[in-house]
């Protein structure tokens, strides 16, 4: 393959002493910072929608469940990354968020390169480093003619076999993916298919204004959308691997 450039990402994981169930994880690449806010005590967007449909199915005149102040997952994209400090000021109130709190994973760097194989395949290979110690290798494969991620009904073996072929021998290779419900939870437009909010709780940490009229491009893996999906997928991978150690 031909080396096309560097692949560098920097992840940080923030916790607060006020809310043990909440976390803010960030992945910075270039001039963009992808932010994933999670509250494991809050309902997911999918869970809330299912409960609303179930209530209406039993009784069309039933009172629709009130929308929660925030959902389990909220994603944001900031550019430039320096806006993160402003975000903490806006949504954190007087509370302290730190990447050195107990329970927060260590800062993580992914350093590597981007390779192009022929006209159709782009590989991103990076070494994962925490506290100056190597923790593993991340390989991301992109099949350029395929502008959308494989759905559950499609066969993803082409990319899986490609990654297996280029991975170091005798290594523990793990293929990572998210379900449609998980992608929907991360990428859903706030306020989409939900009853209008009757109050604006500006003190709620993870409350964020609705973005009306945004295009639904949740399946696209091109341009900025690919970078967003890649960043959130890597964050999920690092959090999962970190909590299992």
């Amino acid at each position: 393959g031909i080396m096309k450039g560097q692949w560098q990402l920097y992840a940080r994981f923030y916790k607060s002493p006020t809310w043990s169930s909440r976390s803010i994880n960030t992945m910075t690449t270039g001039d963009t910072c992808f932010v994933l806010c999670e509250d494991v005590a809050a309902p997911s967007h999918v869970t809330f929608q299912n409960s609303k449909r179930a209530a209406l199915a039993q009784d069309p005149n039933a009172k629709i469940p009130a929308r929660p102040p925030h959902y389990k997952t909220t994603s944001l994209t900031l550019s430039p990354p320096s806006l993160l400090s402003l975000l903490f000021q806006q949504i954190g109130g007087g509370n302290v968020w730190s990447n050195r709190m107990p329970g927060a994973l260590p800062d993580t760097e992914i350093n590597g390169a981007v390779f192009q194989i022929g006209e159709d395949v782009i590989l991103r290979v990076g070494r994962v480093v925490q506290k100056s110690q190597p923790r593993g290798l991340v390989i991301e494969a992109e099949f350029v003619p395929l502008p959308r991620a494989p759905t559950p009904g499609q066969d993803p073996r082409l990319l899986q076999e490609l990654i297996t072929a280029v991975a170091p021998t005798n290594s523990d290779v793990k293929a990572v993916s998210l379900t449609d419900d998980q992608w929907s939870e991360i990428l859903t437009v706030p306020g989409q298919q939900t009853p209008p909010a009757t109050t604006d709780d500006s003190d709620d940490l993870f409350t964020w204004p609705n973005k009306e009229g945004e295009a639904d491009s949740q399946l696209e893996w091109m341009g900025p959308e690919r970078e967003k999906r890649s960043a959130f997928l890597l964050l999920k991978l690092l959090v999962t691997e970190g909590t299992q150690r």
Side-chain angles (χ1 to χ4, degrees), residues 177-222:
S177 63
L178 295 180
T179 66
D180 285 351
D181 283 351
Q182 288 174 313
W183 278 127
S184 176
E185 179 67 21
I186 293 174
L187 302 177
T188 188
V189 176
Q192 189 178 47
Q193 297 180 345
T194 59
T198 56
T199 61
D200 180 14
D201 186 358
S202 58
D203 293 331
D204 190 288
L205 175 68
F206 286 1
T207 297
W208 196 254
N210 294 347
K211 302 176 184 178
E212 301 294 342
E214 289 192 6
D216 180 14
S217 58
Q218 294 182 5
L219 293 179
E220 296 296 336
W221 280 78
M222 303 176 66

Tab-separated table of all heavy atoms in Angstrom, residues 177-222:
chain	number	residue	atom	x	y	z
A	177	SER	N	-18.092	-3.557	16.385
A	177	SER	CA	-19.186	-2.901	15.668
A	177	SER	C	-20.254	-2.524	16.671
A	177	SER	O	-20.242	-2.966	17.825
A	177	SER	CB	-19.765	-3.831	14.595
A	177	SER	OG	-20.327	-4.980	15.198
A	178	LEU	N	-21.182	-1.682	16.250
A	178	LEU	CA	-22.316	-1.292	17.077
A	178	LEU	C	-23.602	-1.674	16.370
A	178	LEU	O	-23.676	-1.668	15.142
A	178	LEU	CB	-22.301	0.223	17.343
A	178	LEU	CG	-21.131	0.768	18.164
A	178	LEU	CD1	-21.269	2.275	18.332
A	178	LEU	CD2	-21.050	0.105	19.521
A	179	THR	N	-24.617	-1.994	17.150
A	179	THR	CA	-25.914	-2.331	16.571
A	179	THR	C	-26.596	-1.066	16.052
A	179	THR	O	-26.199	0.060	16.379
A	179	THR	CB	-26.813	-2.991	17.619
A	179	THR	OG1	-27.112	-2.015	18.648
A	179	THR	CG2	-26.138	-4.197	18.254
A	180	ASP	N	-27.647	-1.252	15.243
A	180	ASP	CA	-28.406	-0.111	14.748
A	180	ASP	C	-28.981	0.714	15.894
A	180	ASP	O	-29.016	1.944	15.840
A	180	ASP	CB	-29.544	-0.592	13.844
A	180	ASP	CG	-29.037	-1.037	12.474
A	180	ASP	OD1	-27.844	-0.800	12.191
A	180	ASP	OD2	-29.829	-1.612	11.710
A	181	ASP	N	-29.452	0.031	16.956
A	181	ASP	CA	-30.007	0.759	18.102
A	181	ASP	C	-28.936	1.602	18.781
A	181	ASP	O	-29.202	2.739	19.207
A	181	ASP	CB	-30.606	-0.226	19.111
A	181	ASP	CG	-31.967	-0.751	18.671
A	181	ASP	OD1	-32.514	-0.220	17.678
A	181	ASP	OD2	-32.467	-1.700	19.302
A	182	GLN	N	-27.719	1.069	18.882
A	182	GLN	CA	-26.643	1.835	19.508
A	182	GLN	C	-26.252	3.039	18.667
A	182	GLN	O	-26.029	4.138	19.201
A	182	GLN	CB	-25.434	0.927	19.737
A	182	GLN	CG	-25.628	-0.085	20.850
A	182	GLN	CD	-24.477	-1.069	20.957
A	182	GLN	OE1	-24.018	-1.626	19.953
A	182	GLN	NE2	-23.983	-1.279	22.170
A	183	TRP	N	-26.183	2.857	17.337
A	183	TRP	CA	-25.890	3.999	16.474
A	183	TRP	C	-27.006	5.029	16.559
A	183	TRP	O	-26.757	6.239	16.590
A	183	TRP	CB	-25.711	3.551	15.022
A	183	TRP	CG	-24.360	3.017	14.681
A	183	TRP	CD1	-24.061	1.821	14.094
A	183	TRP	CD2	-23.094	3.651	14.915
A	183	TRP	NE1	-22.702	1.688	13.944
A	183	TRP	CE2	-22.085	2.801	14.437
A	183	TRP	CE3	-22.728	4.872	15.487
A	183	TRP	CZ2	-20.735	3.111	14.505
A	183	TRP	CZ3	-21.370	5.187	15.569
A	183	TRP	CH2	-20.394	4.318	15.079
A	184	SER	N	-28.245	4.560	16.597
A	184	SER	CA	-29.381	5.469	16.698
A	184	SER	C	-29.301	6.278	17.981
A	184	SER	O	-29.584	7.477	18.000
A	184	SER	CB	-30.701	4.684	16.643
A	184	SER	OG	-31.805	5.531	16.831
A	185	GLU	N	-28.884	5.606	19.063
A	185	GLU	CA	-28.782	6.296	20.353
A	185	GLU	C	-27.696	7.361	20.319
A	185	GLU	O	-27.862	8.456	20.855
A	185	GLU	CB	-28.474	5.267	21.447
A	185	GLU	CG	-28.325	5.865	22.827
A	185	GLU	CD	-29.621	6.443	23.366
A	185	GLU	OE1	-30.699	6.051	22.882
A	185	GLU	OE2	-29.561	7.310	24.249
A	186	ILE	N	-26.574	7.078	19.666
A	186	ILE	CA	-25.462	8.020	19.634
A	186	ILE	C	-25.717	9.165	18.668
A	186	ILE	O	-25.450	10.333	18.972
A	186	ILE	CB	-24.153	7.294	19.244
A	186	ILE	CG1	-23.743	6.315	20.347
A	186	ILE	CG2	-23.027	8.286	18.986
A	186	ILE	CD1	-22.553	5.458	19.994
A	187	LEU	N	-26.260	8.854	17.490
A	187	LEU	CA	-26.357	9.842	16.425
A	187	LEU	C	-27.735	10.475	16.286
A	187	LEU	O	-27.920	11.325	15.423
A	187	LEU	CB	-25.971	9.198	15.080
A	187	LEU	CG	-24.566	8.594	15.020
A	187	LEU	CD1	-24.340	7.931	13.672
A	187	LEU	CD2	-23.506	9.645	15.284
A	188	THR	N	-28.717	10.063	17.103
A	188	THR	CA	-30.048	10.603	16.952
A	188	THR	C	-30.067	12.112	17.148
A	188	THR	O	-29.295	12.661	17.944
A	188	THR	CB	-31.016	9.942	17.956
A	188	THR	OG1	-32.335	10.342	17.661
A	188	THR	CG2	-30.690	10.356	19.391
A	189	VAL	N	-30.930	12.775	16.400
A	189	VAL	CA	-31.083	14.217	16.519
A	189	VAL	C	-31.903	14.513	17.771
A	189	VAL	O	-33.001	13.990	17.919
A	189	VAL	CB	-31.792	14.808	15.283
A	189	VAL	CG1	-32.023	16.301	15.456
A	189	VAL	CG2	-30.968	14.535	14.037
A	190	PRO	N	-31.403	15.330	18.704
A	190	PRO	CA	-32.169	15.619	19.908
A	190	PRO	C	-33.551	16.163	19.571
A	190	PRO	O	-33.705	17.034	18.720
A	190	PRO	CB	-31.320	16.677	20.624
A	190	PRO	CG	-29.938	16.440	20.136
A	190	PRO	CD	-30.091	15.986	18.708
A	191	GLY	N	-34.580	15.614	20.216
A	191	GLY	CA	-35.946	16.075	19.981
A	191	GLY	C	-36.641	15.384	18.847
A	191	GLY	O	-37.838	15.586	18.631
A	192	GLN	N	-35.939	14.540	18.088
A	192	GLN	CA	-36.536	13.867	16.958
A	192	GLN	C	-37.507	12.791	17.422
A	192	GLN	O	-37.169	11.966	18.264
A	192	GLN	CB	-35.439	13.248	16.099
A	192	GLN	CG	-35.940	12.707	14.765
A	192	GLN	CD	-34.794	12.159	13.941
A	192	GLN	OE1	-33.968	11.416	14.438
A	192	GLN	NE2	-34.734	12.544	12.691
A	193	GLN	N	-38.730	12.805	16.917
A	193	GLN	CA	-39.764	11.836	17.240
A	193	GLN	C	-40.051	11.766	18.736
A	193	GLN	O	-40.302	10.725	19.302
A	193	GLN	CB	-39.381	10.435	16.735
A	193	GLN	CG	-39.244	10.344	15.248
A	193	GLN	CD	-38.875	8.961	14.788
A	193	GLN	OE1	-38.454	8.120	15.570
A	193	GLN	NE2	-39.053	8.699	13.506
A	194	THR	N	-39.995	12.902	19.383
A	194	THR	CA	-40.319	12.961	20.797
A	194	THR	C	-41.300	14.079	21.020
A	194	THR	O	-41.335	15.049	20.266
A	194	THR	CB	-39.078	13.227	21.660
A	194	THR	OG1	-38.496	14.466	21.255
A	194	THR	CG2	-38.058	12.122	21.526
A	195	PRO	N	-42.165	13.998	22.058
A	195	PRO	CA	-43.090	15.075	22.322
A	195	PRO	C	-42.353	16.339	22.693
A	195	PRO	O	-41.268	16.279	23.275
A	195	PRO	CB	-43.926	14.547	23.504
A	195	PRO	CG	-43.088	13.479	24.106
A	195	PRO	CD	-42.287	12.894	22.989
A	196	PRO	N	-42.899	17.517	22.369
A	196	PRO	CA	-42.210	18.763	22.667
A	196	PRO	C	-42.015	18.948	24.158
A	196	PRO	O	-42.878	18.615	24.959
A	196	PRO	CB	-43.148	19.834	22.080
A	196	PRO	CG	-44.485	19.171	22.020
A	196	PRO	CD	-44.210	17.724	21.748
A	197	ALA	N	-40.884	19.480	24.524
A	197	ALA	CA	-40.605	19.706	25.937
A	197	ALA	C	-41.446	20.865	26.443
A	197	ALA	O	-41.627	21.871	25.764
A	197	ALA	CB	-39.115	20.013	26.125
A	198	THR	N	-41.960	20.737	27.651
A	198	THR	CA	-42.795	21.781	28.220
A	198	THR	C	-41.994	22.722	29.101
A	198	THR	O	-42.445	23.802	29.438
A	198	THR	CB	-43.922	21.151	29.059
A	198	THR	OG1	-43.330	20.303	30.052
A	198	THR	CG2	-44.822	20.314	28.168
A	199	THR	N	-40.796	22.275	29.490
A	199	THR	CA	-39.955	23.128	30.318
A	199	THR	C	-38.535	23.081	29.797
A	199	THR	O	-38.144	22.166	29.087
A	199	THR	CB	-39.953	22.649	31.790
A	199	THR	OG1	-39.437	21.326	31.846
A	199	THR	CG2	-41.367	22.683	32.357
A	200	ASP	N	-37.769	24.089	30.166
A	200	ASP	CA	-36.356	24.142	29.797
A	200	ASP	C	-35.544	24.142	31.069
A	200	ASP	O	-35.394	25.156	31.726
A	200	ASP	CB	-36.070	25.408	28.974
A	200	ASP	CG	-34.602	25.507	28.570
A	200	ASP	OD1	-33.903	24.479	28.702
A	200	ASP	OD2	-34.187	26.594	28.148
A	201	ASP	N	-35.047	22.962	31.448
A	201	ASP	CA	-34.277	22.832	32.677
A	201	ASP	C	-32.831	23.175	32.388
A	201	ASP	O	-32.027	22.323	32.079
A	201	ASP	CB	-34.402	21.404	33.208
A	201	ASP	CG	-33.748	21.249	34.572
A	201	ASP	OD1	-33.181	22.257	35.055
A	201	ASP	OD2	-33.803	20.142	35.133
A	202	SER	N	-32.517	24.463	32.491
A	202	SER	CA	-31.170	24.901	32.124
A	202	SER	C	-30.121	24.427	33.108
A	202	SER	O	-28.932	24.522	32.841
A	202	SER	CB	-31.132	26.434	32.049
A	202	SER	OG	-31.528	27.000	33.290
A	203	ASP	N	-30.559	23.901	34.272
A	203	ASP	CA	-29.598	23.406	35.243
A	203	ASP	C	-29.214	21.955	34.987
A	203	ASP	O	-28.294	21.440	35.610
A	203	ASP	CB	-30.170	23.531	36.661
A	203	ASP	CG	-30.326	24.985	37.083
A	203	ASP	OD1	-29.536	25.813	36.586
A	203	ASP	OD2	-31.239	25.289	37.873
A	204	ASP	N	-29.977	21.266	34.122
A	204	ASP	CA	-29.661	19.864	33.861
A	204	ASP	C	-28.393	19.777	33.044
A	204	ASP	O	-28.262	20.400	31.997
A	204	ASP	CB	-30.810	19.188	33.122
A	204	ASP	CG	-30.603	17.687	33.063
A	204	ASP	OD1	-29.714	17.260	32.319
A	204	ASP	OD2	-31.330	16.961	33.770
A	205	LEU	N	-27.475	18.973	33.522
A	205	LEU	CA	-26.139	18.926	32.924
A	205	LEU	C	-26.145	18.604	31.452
A	205	LEU	O	-25.472	19.238	30.660
A	205	LEU	CB	-25.290	17.884	33.660
A	205	LEU	CG	-23.901	17.642	33.073
A	205	LEU	CD1	-23.036	18.863	33.272
A	205	LEU	CD2	-23.258	16.432	33.702
A	206	PHE	N	-26.950	17.582	31.066
A	206	PHE	CA	-26.853	17.093	29.697
A	206	PHE	C	-28.001	17.577	28.819
A	206	PHE	O	-28.215	17.060	27.740
A	206	PHE	CB	-26.824	15.564	29.684
A	206	PHE	CG	-25.493	15.008	30.155
A	206	PHE	CD1	-24.473	15.843	30.559
A	206	PHE	CD2	-25.273	13.648	30.185
A	206	PHE	CE1	-23.264	15.337	30.992
A	206	PHE	CE2	-24.058	13.124	30.615
A	206	PHE	CZ	-23.053	13.983	31.022
A	207	THR	N	-28.798	18.543	29.284
A	207	THR	CA	-29.846	19.095	28.427
A	207	THR	C	-29.196	19.940	27.345
A	207	THR	O	-28.339	20.776	27.614
A	207	THR	CB	-30.811	19.971	29.249
A	207	THR	OG1	-31.451	19.147	30.215
A	207	THR	CG2	-31.859	20.619	28.357
A	208	TRP	N	-29.631	19.720	26.099
A	208	TRP	CA	-29.043	20.444	24.966
A	208	TRP	C	-30.167	20.869	24.034
A	208	TRP	O	-31.113	20.116	23.813
A	208	TRP	CB	-28.049	19.555	24.226
A	208	TRP	CG	-27.141	20.333	23.325
A	208	TRP	CD1	-27.175	20.413	21.969
A	208	TRP	CD2	-26.055	21.172	23.730
A	208	TRP	NE1	-26.186	21.235	21.514
A	208	TRP	CE2	-25.481	21.713	22.568
A	208	TRP	CE3	-25.525	21.528	24.975
A	208	TRP	CZ2	-24.405	22.582	22.607
A	208	TRP	CZ3	-24.442	22.390	24.997
A	208	TRP	CH2	-23.890	22.905	23.828
A	209	PRO	N	-30.110	22.076	23.452
A	209	PRO	CA	-31.208	22.526	22.593
A	209	PRO	C	-31.452	21.582	21.435
A	209	PRO	O	-30.519	20.998	20.882
A	209	PRO	CB	-30.720	23.902	22.100
A	209	PRO	CG	-29.688	24.323	23.101
A	209	PRO	CD	-29.041	23.061	23.592
A	210	ASN	N	-32.736	21.459	21.043
A	210	ASN	CA	-33.078	20.642	19.887
A	210	ASN	C	-32.523	21.259	18.618
A	210	ASN	O	-32.445	22.480	18.476
A	210	ASN	CB	-34.603	20.532	19.752
A	210	ASN	CG	-35.202	19.760	20.903
A	210	ASN	OD1	-34.490	19.118	21.666
A	210	ASN	ND2	-36.508	19.826	21.032
A	211	LYS	N	-32.164	20.400	17.681
A	211	LYS	CA	-31.678	20.856	16.374
A	211	LYS	C	-32.693	20.412	15.335
A	211	LYS	O	-32.678	19.282	14.867
A	211	LYS	CB	-30.298	20.256	16.075
A	211	LYS	CG	-29.246	20.584	17.130
A	211	LYS	CD	-27.941	19.874	16.812
A	211	LYS	CE	-26.902	20.104	17.893
A	211	LYS	NZ	-25.644	19.379	17.618
A	212	GLU	N	-33.592	21.288	14.986
A	212	GLU	CA	-34.654	20.927	14.072
A	212	GLU	C	-34.173	20.959	12.623
A	212	GLU	O	-33.353	21.787	12.236
A	212	GLU	CB	-35.836	21.896	14.232
A	212	GLU	CG	-36.417	21.914	15.640
A	212	GLU	CD	-37.060	20.600	16.011
A	212	GLU	OE1	-37.367	19.818	15.095
A	212	GLU	OE2	-37.249	20.334	17.211
A	213	GLY	N	-34.716	20.070	11.831
A	213	GLY	CA	-34.487	20.112	10.399
A	213	GLY	C	-33.154	19.562	9.948
A	213	GLY	O	-32.755	19.756	8.806
A	214	GLU	N	-32.430	18.868	10.850
A	214	GLU	CA	-31.164	18.304	10.410
A	214	GLU	C	-31.407	17.087	9.523
A	214	GLU	O	-32.308	16.304	9.749
A	214	GLU	CB	-30.322	17.891	11.626
A	214	GLU	CG	-29.793	19.076	12.398
A	214	GLU	CD	-28.734	18.664	13.398
A	214	GLU	OE1	-28.352	17.479	13.382
A	214	GLU	OE2	-28.298	19.514	14.184
A	215	ALA	N	-30.565	16.917	8.532
A	215	ALA	CA	-30.721	15.787	7.613
A	215	ALA	C	-30.393	14.484	8.318
A	215	ALA	O	-29.491	14.414	9.142
A	215	ALA	CB	-29.799	15.978	6.410
A	216	ASP	N	-31.145	13.445	7.965
A	216	ASP	CA	-30.889	12.134	8.557
A	216	ASP	C	-29.887	11.389	7.688
A	216	ASP	O	-30.223	10.826	6.662
A	216	ASP	CB	-32.207	11.359	8.651
A	216	ASP	CG	-31.992	9.987	9.270
A	216	ASP	OD1	-30.931	9.757	9.844
A	216	ASP	OD2	-32.914	9.159	9.162
A	217	SER	N	-28.628	11.402	8.131
A	217	SER	CA	-27.573	10.725	7.366
A	217	SER	C	-26.881	9.692	8.238
A	217	SER	O	-25.674	9.509	8.175
A	217	SER	CB	-26.552	11.750	6.849
A	217	SER	OG	-25.991	12.471	7.933
A	218	GLN	N	-27.667	9.009	9.074
A	218	GLN	CA	-27.081	8.144	10.073
A	218	GLN	C	-26.324	6.966	9.478
A	218	GLN	O	-25.461	6.389	10.133
A	218	GLN	CB	-28.174	7.639	11.023
A	218	GLN	CG	-28.785	8.750	11.860
A	218	GLN	CD	-29.823	8.218	12.823
A	218	GLN	OE1	-30.019	7.021	12.922
A	218	GLN	NE2	-30.504	9.094	13.518
A	219	LEU	N	-26.639	6.568	8.260
A	219	LEU	CA	-25.976	5.410	7.679
A	219	LEU	C	-24.776	5.779	6.820
A	219	LEU	O	-24.078	4.915	6.322
A	219	LEU	CB	-26.978	4.597	6.845
A	219	LEU	CG	-28.098	3.911	7.618
A	219	LEU	CD1	-29.018	3.179	6.662
A	219	LEU	CD2	-27.537	2.942	8.637
A	220	GLU	N	-24.551	7.080	6.609
A	220	GLU	CA	-23.490	7.489	5.700
A	220	GLU	C	-22.120	7.342	6.357
A	220	GLU	O	-21.933	7.656	7.517
A	220	GLU	CB	-23.683	8.946	5.262
A	220	GLU	CG	-24.964	9.177	4.452
A	220	GLU	CD	-24.956	8.426	3.129
A	220	GLU	OE1	-23.869	8.112	2.621
A	220	GLU	OE2	-26.041	8.175	2.598
A	221	TRP	N	-21.157	6.853	5.566
A	221	TRP	CA	-19.781	6.716	6.031
A	221	TRP	C	-18.873	7.490	5.078
A	221	TRP	O	-17.892	6.955	4.568
A	221	TRP	CB	-19.368	5.242	6.072
A	221	TRP	CG	-19.864	4.527	7.278
A	221	TRP	CD1	-21.121	4.058	7.508
A	221	TRP	CD2	-19.113	4.209	8.445
A	221	TRP	NE1	-21.190	3.468	8.732
A	221	TRP	CE2	-19.973	3.529	9.331
A	221	TRP	CE3	-17.779	4.420	8.824
A	221	TRP	CZ2	-19.561	3.078	10.580
A	221	TRP	CZ3	-17.367	3.952	10.062
A	221	TRP	CH2	-18.251	3.295	10.928
A	222	MET	N	-19.200	8.747	4.856
A	222	MET	CA	-18.416	9.569	3.949
A	222	MET	C	-18.146	10.918	4.599
A	222	MET	O	-18.979	11.453	5.322
A	222	MET	CB	-19.155	9.776	2.608
A	222	MET	CG	-19.514	8.483	1.889
A	222	MET	SD	-20.490	8.740	0.385
A	222	MET	CE	-19.293	9.607	-0.621
